[in-house]
Amino acid sequence: MKGRAGGERGKTMRQLVLCNDELAGAEGFDRAEVIPLHEEAEEPRPARGMRRAGWLLVACGFAVLPWLYVLAIGLPATATAAHWPVAWVGLDALEALGLIATGFLAARGDRRHALAAAATATLLVVDAWFDTTTAAPGGDFATAVAMALGAELPLAALCGRLALRALSRHA
């Protein structure tokens, strides 16, 4: 590898020059400098808009923290939901679609399966959380725990693993 000429040597961008005995004597290739690639392996700095969006999200996340306290002390212990069955059927339908989409995309070797897998893993964890926290004591709670430990969380772990493997492989 050869850095840029003059005072630009300290810059992080370098050119890769393939150099063999014939090229070594050619004009502009009088000596080759070998620099290990890991010295240059820096994460690229995100664009300004991306950095701003990231810090905005961090600020919003911190702004939600006091709201959690308000909810914890203000919500009633029990509540009635008008569309309870629609909420649960809708969540399970989204999980089914996510599993199907992830499976088809992964089977076809499509890299977009990582997105479907991440979304599906999230849905499965949310379902396990709400199933167990909203279940009535006794048999309903035991069923919710069994479903969470036997199906939802293992599938979420599989989807999460697929997403992470795909992202680390293509990063």
Side-chain angles (χ1 to χ4, degrees):
M1 285 191 185
K2 187 171 180 110
R4 295 189 182 262
E8 296 185 47
R9 279 201 112 140
K11 292 193 176 184
T12 58
M13 187 64 92
R14 295 203 183 256
Q15 291 180 310
L16 176 62
V17 176
L18 298 177
C19 187
N20 63 18
D21 293 337
E22 294 173 353
L23 288 176
E27 184 178 322
F29 295 105
D30 53 347
R31 86 181 239 285
E33 178 183 355
V34 177
I35 298 174
L37 290 177
H38 67 279
E39 286 183 6
E40 297 296 323
E42 292 181 18
E43 286 292 320
R45 186 177 171 118
R48 180 187 300 174
M50 183 65 72
R51 289 193 311 268
R52 285 183 180 168
W55 286 116
L56 176 65
L57 292 173
V58 169
C60 289
F62 278 116
V64 170
L65 295 178
W67 177 245
L68 296 176
Y69 176 74
V70 171
L71 287 176
I73 63 169
L75 284 175
T78 60
T80 302
H83 303 287
W84 191 252
V86 174
W88 287 112
V89 170
L91 179 58
D92 287 351
L94 288 172
E95 291 171 8
L97 288 173
L99 290 168
I100 292 167
T102 301
F104 276 139
L105 290 170
R108 291 179 42 199
D110 192 323
R111 293 184 320 169
R112 292 174 293 180
H113 79 275
L115 298 172
T120 304
T122 303
L123 288 169
L124 288 162
V125 170
V126 167
D127 190 15
W129 174 264
F130 282 105
D131 279 346
T132 55
T133 58
T134 61
D140 286 344
F141 181 73
T143 301
V145 170
M147 286 295 295
L149 295 177
E152 294 157 346
L153 294 177
L155 284 171
L158 174 62
C159 287
R161 183 170 183 240
L162 285 173
L164 289 174
R165 282 184 64 196
L167 291 174
S168 67
R169 189 176 308 139
H170 298 290

